[in-house]
Amino acid sequence: MDILDRLIATLKGGSALSDDPTPREVLRHIVESMEEQREVGFDNRVYVPNRIEITIGSPDEQRRRRYLAFITPDALKPALEEVCRQRQRTIRGKLQIQVKVQQDEQDAAAIQVCCSYAAEENAPAHNRQEDHTVAAPFLDPEGTVAALFPLIQVMVTHSTGAAQTLSFQKLPITIGRQAGCDIVLQEDRQVSRSHASIEQAPSGCLTVRDCGSRNGTRVNGEMVERRDLKPGDRIQIGAATLQIKGDALPLPAALQGAFGGAAAREASGSGPMPPQRILRPAADALVLLSETGTEEKRFLLASSNLIGRSPTCDIVLPHRSVAMRHARIERGSGGFLLERLEEHAPVLHNGTLLDAAAPAALHAGDMLQIGELSIRYEKGE
């Protein structure tokens, strides 16, 4: 485990800096300050501030020089970007880091950190081809957010013959080994971290593009850098084969972008599923139970799952007892962790009230209560 992994593992949020903090402690404090101001965007990404102001106020000249040697924008920028990448956080805009010295305050703290969201100055005009326009959402009779973007179903077949269908209402669809991809082939070492993506060509056709992968991308056995897809085409990535199902080819050229708020459903093609799906023969799931204990709805778990009443949540629970952003379930190194997000929004884990500052590890069969709703956690194969 490298220093960044250890840093992420020990983040507790809200801890104060010591009188003589080390550079590593300063980095941890910056990340904690960014986390305290995280927000979920309309695209369902978790955003953190992009402006970091660091004030060095130590009256000791030698200590100031030591801080200035380590705490520099050039040193902090790649470290913060790596931490955000590993935590699946998106920095809202270009990262701006300012380090200044305050010499006239004898009682000032050695290091002060202030994080905020800042608009980029002289930002270039948006490229319409790169805009991700959010379609207007509506609620279906079950209360699940639907989108106007057409459903794209991708059937993924493993080398063992096991197959799974994933459904998306967004483009591009990214494929690779890292957790941030939409389709994650986690166990296949032939797959690069960011291997390929399925995109929309100006003509409206779907196209597959290789992202500079080590072992390449094949369509119908032929190595390609980019290829427009036709019905029946088979995409080979590592040991897996991907195929677009149904009548998604071609798409209307005017439809671009994504709506990221649909709750997960069974991988049967019956409805939309959110992105960032870890590909396994059977994914872990939350099962919403009725008052009699029977299954009402099943939600497949992704790498990060925001739960609440808001239509931008990954798992939408449209019930009066559920907060807009009630809880979060995230995959850690040892499995999924359940986190309570609001003090006024109770979460029970096997009958015990969850502390907002102490996420709980989930195990097969665990019973959760979110608001007045009963939910069972089921482990995939």
Side-chain angles (χ1 to χ4, degrees):
M1 181 181 290
D2 62 22
I3 186 171
L4 289 174
D5 291 331
R6 293 197 300 270
L7 168 65
I8 293 169
T10 56
L11 288 177
K12 294 297 182 181
S15 64
L17 282 170
S18 63
D19 292 336
D20 185 16
T22 65
R24 182 175 178 273
E25 289 174 335
V26 173
L27 177 60
R28 181 175 63 225
H29 188 70
I30 294 171
V31 176
E32 290 173 352
S33 299
M34 295 171 75
E35 280 289 297
E36 288 173 358
Q37 298 187 53
R38 67 189 180 198
E39 295 290 347
V40 178
F42 292 120
D43 56 2
N44 217 34
R45 295 182 181 180
V46 180
Y47 287 94
V48 291
N50 64 319
R51 182 173 177 80
I52 316 296
E53 295 183 14
I54 304 164
T55 302
I56 299 175
S58 172
D60 184 274
E61 177 68 22
Q62 185 175 0
R63 188 184 299 177
R64 279 203 308 271
R65 289 181 179 177
R66 175 163 57 88
Y67 288 150
L68 290 171
F70 286 93
I71 304 171
T72 66
D74 288 343
L76 287 170
K77 186 174 183 292
L80 289 171
E81 289 175 342
E82 177 66 10
V83 170
C84 290
R85 185 192 66 77
Q86 292 189 23
R87 291 179 64 83
Q88 298 183 38
R89 302 292 189 253
T90 301
I91 299 172
R92 186 71 176 181
K94 183 179 179 181
L95 187 57
Q96 306 173 25
I97 302 175
Q98 180 181 8
V99 180
K100 57 184 179 179
V101 178
Q102 184 175 331
Q103 298 182 354
D104 54 348
E105 296 289 340
Q106 293 296 316
D107 297 330
I111 300 288
Q112 299 179 61
V113 174
C114 178
C115 298
S116 60
Y117 290 92
E120 295 184 44
E121 296 181 3
N122 302 320
H126 286 295
N127 183 336
R128 295 186 64 85
Q129 293 296 326
E130 295 177 355
D131 255 336
H132 292 275
T133 304
V134 178
F138 59 90
L139 295 178
D140 67 15
E142 297 179 338
T144 302
V145 175
L148 301 181
F149 195 88
L151 186 68
I152 301 172
Q153 294 182 322
V154 183
M155 184 174 71
V156 184
T157 304
H158 298 267
S159 58
T160 60
Q164 184 175 9
T165 298
L166 303 180
S167 301
F168 300 91
Q169 288 185 297
K170 57 154 285 183
L171 285 173
I173 299 169
T174 56
I175 308 161
R177 208 173 69 247
Q178 66 182 5
C181 292
D182 299 318
I183 299 178
V184 181
L185 302 171
Q186 200 171 38
E187 306 299 329
D188 193 341
R189 306 307 295 182
Q190 300 179 56
V191 178
S192 298
R193 294 174 64 82
S194 178
H195 195 108
S197 67
I198 297 173
E199 305 169 354
Q200 184 180 21
S203 64
C205 292
L206 289 182
T207 183
V208 62
R209 177 176 66 88
D210 185 81
C211 299
S213 66
R214 180 184 296 272
N215 294 309
T217 301
R218 288 178 165 81
V219 175
N220 301 328
E222 180 183 350
M223 190 78 75
V224 299
E225 291 185 2
R226 183 187 292 269
R227 173 69 59 86
D228 289 346
L229 298 174
K230 304 183 299 295
D233 280 353
R234 298 167 66 84
I235 306 167
Q236 287 93 37
I237 295 178
T241 301
L242 289 72
Q243 192 169 11
I244 308 296
K245 294 183 62 179
D247 55 358
L249 300 169
L251 293 175
L255 287 174
Q256 299 188 31
F259 178 74
R265 295 185 179 178
E266 279 284 15
S268 60
S270 61
M273 295 200 305
Q276 295 185 0
R277 188 67 52 212
I278 299 295
L279 192 59
R280 298 182 296 276
D284 294 10
L286 295 183
V287 179
L288 179 64
L289 303 176
S290 67
E291 293 182 358
T292 60
T294 58
E295 178 177 326
E296 283 194 354
K297 187 181 285 289
R298 179 177 293 262
F299 302 96
L300 300 182
L301 293 180
S303 302
S304 179
N305 311 267
L306 182 63
I307 305 170
R309 203 172 72 245
S310 169
T312 61
C313 290
D314 301 301
I315 297 177
V316 180
L317 300 176
H319 192 276
R320 64 183 184 279
S321 66
V322 178
M324 297 297 285
R325 297 173 67 252
H326 201 115
R328 178 183 289 107
I329 294 178
E330 290 195 347
R331 174 175 287 278
S333 58
F336 281 108
L337 296 175
L338 171 65
E339 177 186 3
R340 175 183 170 188
L341 297 181
E342 304 286 350
E343 287 292 340
H344 67 276
V347 177
L348 298 184
H349 177 230
N350 292 328
T352 301
L353 182 64
L354 192 65
D355 187 339
L362 293 179
H363 303 91
D366 280 359
M367 293 300 300
L368 317 178
Q369 185 172 325
I370 296 179
E372 298 175 6
L373 302 179
S374 296
I375 298 173
R376 183 175 65 244
Y377 169 69
E378 291 187 356
K379 194 139 182 77
E381 296 178 5

